């Protein structure tokens, strides 16, 4: 049999085959290198159990915001304890991989579900400690010009608050909690959503109280809430007893509710809404006509939709003044108006989480501090009215 080397054509084919093999081996090595880099990048990404997506676009579930804040709490806890924060589903080969800091957008969505001012007022980002937003104490009016060349006089009734009183100042609000030193890394990760819910509720309740019932004078209450704002006019009363000595039970009538909405300036009525506590809303629902028929139609109630009164949304909030049938002092207990125009919330600083083992050293517990900085101000009181008791 003749040798391959005796036939140049076959030798050339053999050399060609060898060159192809070498090229394939080089390509395969390159492909393998690329795959290894992909695997390394894939390991660096957060991954939840059961292939659940961690970061998604579009609408998020109700738990997404809680997970965002909870992830921030867990991250701070584990960084404090010297451990890298890893999601469920990571294996030992992923040691040292740190999950990115949760976006503030997710936490904001969580607070918006619970914080009334974030839902209905105008929220402004603050780039400094103070934001100049003057209060309008009276409204400018337009003037018709009869003849060309006539001058327009300054409307002397239009007044803006002074610069000193026309600022939104961001103040810190913090929630301080305790965590046992025995709570390990795995346990804190498992509680991520629960922790997010708990601290979001606490922050939102603090925002609601500042927005509604703080007096701006008491220690720890730097803002004046809507129910305590003397610049918001009280609605005229169709008094039950015909004298200026009516209690909350006597003032809460369908006639007074109609008057309350009617006294909101017409330009603000379409965007008006009512704010009241659960106990006051319960009394409103009990109002009946002369034949004991409910004045509030049951068709006004739908799951997931704000209840309505006189065609306007009702915002029921625990921080609003509770019903007190025998109160012996003047008390505003229902608000009505255009909050998006009248109210401003300044958002200065994103939610921060800090952990310390010094605060509660005696009890061998760790302090968990969740804080933010924000501010509130009513800039157009004329767009609001309040229903108040009238005690002589």
């Amino acid at each position: 049999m003749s040798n391959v080397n005796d036939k140049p054509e076959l030798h050339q084919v053999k050399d060609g085959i060898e060159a192809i093999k070498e090229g394939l081996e080089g390509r395969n090595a390159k492909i393998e290198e690329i795959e290894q880099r992909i695997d390394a990048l894939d390991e660096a990404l957060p991954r939840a159990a059961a292939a659940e997506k961690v970061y998604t676009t579009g609408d998020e579930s109700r738990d997404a915001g809680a997970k965002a804040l909870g992830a921030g709490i867990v991250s701070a806890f584990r960084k404090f304890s010297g451990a890298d924060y890893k999601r469920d589903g990571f294996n030992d080969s992923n040691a040292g991989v740190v999950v990115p800091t949760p976006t503030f957008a997710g936490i904001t969505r969580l607070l918006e579900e619970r914080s009334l001012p974030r839902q209905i007022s105008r929220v402004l980002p603050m780039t400094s400690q103070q934001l100049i937003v003057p209060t309008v104490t009276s409204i400018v009016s337009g003037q018709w010009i009869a003849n060309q060349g006539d001058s327009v006089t300054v409307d002397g009734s239009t007044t803006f608050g002074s610069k000193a009183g026309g600022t939104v100042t961001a103040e810190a609000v913090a929630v301080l909690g305790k965590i046992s030193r025995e709570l390990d890394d795995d346990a804190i990760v498992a509680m991520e959503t629960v922790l997010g819910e708990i601290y979001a509720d606490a922050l939102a309740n603090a925002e609601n109280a500042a927005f509604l019932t703080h007096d701006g004078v008491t220690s720890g209450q730097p803002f004046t809430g809507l129910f305590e704002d003397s610049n918001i006019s009280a609605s005229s009363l169709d008094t039950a007893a015909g004298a200026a000595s009516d209690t909350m039970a006597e003032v809460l009538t369908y006639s007074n509710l109609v008057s309350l909405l009617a006294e909101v300036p017409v330009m603000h009525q379409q965007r008006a809404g009512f704010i009241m506590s659960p106990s006051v809303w319960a009394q409103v629902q009990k109002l009946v006509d002369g034949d004991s028929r409910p004045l509030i139609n049951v068709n006004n109630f739908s799951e997931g939709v704000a209840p309505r009164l006189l065609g306007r949304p009702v915002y029921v909030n625990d921080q609003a003044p509770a019903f007190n049938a025998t109160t012996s002092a003047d008390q505003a207990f229902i608000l009505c108006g255009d909050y998006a125009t009248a109210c401003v919330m300044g958002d200065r600083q994103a939610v921060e989480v800090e952990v310390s083992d010094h605060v509660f050293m005696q009890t061998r517990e760790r302090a968990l501090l969740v804080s933010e900085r924000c501010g509130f101000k009513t800039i157009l009181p004329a767009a609001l009215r309040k229903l108040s008791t009238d005690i002589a």
Side-chain angles (χ1 to χ4, degrees), residues 17 32 34 50 121 184 252 267 293 391:
I17 292 173
E32 185 176 347
I34 293 173
S121 66
D184 61 23
L252 188 55
M267 67 182 68
R293 293 174 299 190
I391 307 300

Side-chain angles (χ1 to χ4, degrees), residues 235 253-263 274 310:
S235 173
T253 65
Y254 187 75
S255 175
N256 281 334
L257 290 173
V258 172
S259 297
L260 177 64
L261 175 60
E263 291 183 19
F274 295 90
L310 301 176

Side-chain angles (χ1 to χ4, degrees), residues 145-182:
I145 301 175
N147 302 300
Q148 184 175 352
D150 288 353
S151 61
V152 179
T153 59
V154 175
D155 187 350
S157 65
T158 303
T159 308
F160 288 87
S162 65
K163 181 177 177 180
T167 59
V168 178
T169 302
E171 300 289 349
V173 55
V175 183
L176 181 64
K178 297 180 182 180
I179 293 182
S180 170
R181 287 174 181 259
E182 281 68 40

Side-chain angles (χ1 to χ4, degrees), residues 7-307:
K7 298 182 178 180
E9 296 84 356
L10 294 177
H11 183 72
Q12 291 174 4
V13 172
K14 180 182 177 183
D15 289 344
I17 292 173
E18 293 296 332
I20 292 172
K21 285 183 178 180
E22 290 176 0
L24 290 174
E25 289 175 357
R27 189 187 70 174
N28 290 338
K30 193 64 176 179
I31 291 174
E32 185 176 347
E33 179 185 348
I34 293 173
E35 288 178 342
Q36 290 175 350
R37 293 178 63 185
I38 291 174
D39 290 340
L41 290 172
D42 185 55
E43 289 176 355
L45 292 173
R47 183 181 295 116
E52 178 188 354
K53 289 184 178 180
V54 178
Y55 296 107
T56 61
T57 58
D59 295 335
E60 294 190 344
S61 68
R62 292 184 60 84
D63 288 342
K67 284 185 177 181
L69 179 55
I73 294 173
V74 170
S75 179
F77 179 87
R78 300 201 65 173
K79 286 178 181 177
F80 175 82
S81 61
D84 288 327
Y85 173 34
K86 298 178 295 182
R87 285 268 183 183
D88 293 340
F90 274 38
N91 52 44
D92 293 338
S93 64
N94 293 311
V97 176
V98 180
V99 173
T101 302
T103 60
F104 183 54
I107 299 174
T108 301
R109 280 191 291 271
L110 176 66
L111 291 177
E112 284 175 348
E113 293 180 1
R114 295 160 167 77
S115 171
L116 185 61
R118 292 181 185 272
Q119 296 173 29
I120 64 176
S121 66
R122 189 184 304 273
V123 180
L124 301 176
M126 298 178 65
T127 57
S128 60
Q129 174 80 7
Q130 292 186 332
L131 177 67
I132 298 176
V133 185
T135 300
V136 181
T137 56
S138 58
I139 307 299
V140 66
S141 60
Q143 300 176 41
W144 290 100
I145 301 175
N147 302 300
Q148 184 175 352
D150 288 353
S151 61
V152 179
T153 59
V154 175
D155 187 350
S157 65
T158 303
T159 308
F160 288 87
S162 65
K163 181 177 177 180
T167 59
V168 178
T169 302
E171 300 289 349
V173 55
V175 183
L176 181 64
K178 297 180 182 180
I179 293 182
S180 170
R181 287 174 181 259
E182 281 68 40
L183 188 64
D184 61 23
D185 295 340
D186 292 335
I188 194 75
V189 171
M191 294 176 61
E192 183 178 271
T193 302
V194 175
L195 286 172
E197 294 274 359
I198 292 172
Y199 280 87
D201 282 343
L203 284 176
N205 282 336
E207 289 182 0
N208 291 335
F211 182 61
L212 297 177
T213 56
H214 280 188
D215 57 18
V217 177
T218 304
S219 176
Q221 297 184 0
F223 309 108
T224 300
L226 298 180
F227 284 97
E228 301 295 330
D229 193 338
S230 59
N231 294 317
I232 299 175
S233 299
S235 173
S236 302
L237 298 176
D238 299 325
T239 56
S245 59
D246 293 324
T247 63
M248 191 177 292
E250 294 171 321
V251 169
L252 188 55
T253 65
Y254 187 75
S255 175
N256 281 334
L257 290 173
V258 172
S259 297
L260 177 64
L261 175 60
E263 291 183 19
V264 173
V266 173
M267 67 182 68
H268 298 293
Q269 286 186 16
Q270 290 302 315
R271 293 193 296 180
F274 295 90
I275 298 177
M276 62 189 78
S277 69
S279 58
V280 172
W281 176 233
Q283 296 299 316
V284 171
Q285 294 177 76
K286 294 177 183 178
L287 295 176
V288 296
D289 62 15
D291 296 321
S292 299
R293 293 174 299 190
L295 292 170
I296 308 302
N297 194 322
V298 294
N299 294 328
N300 286 340
F301 305 94
S302 299
E303 184 177 357
V305 178

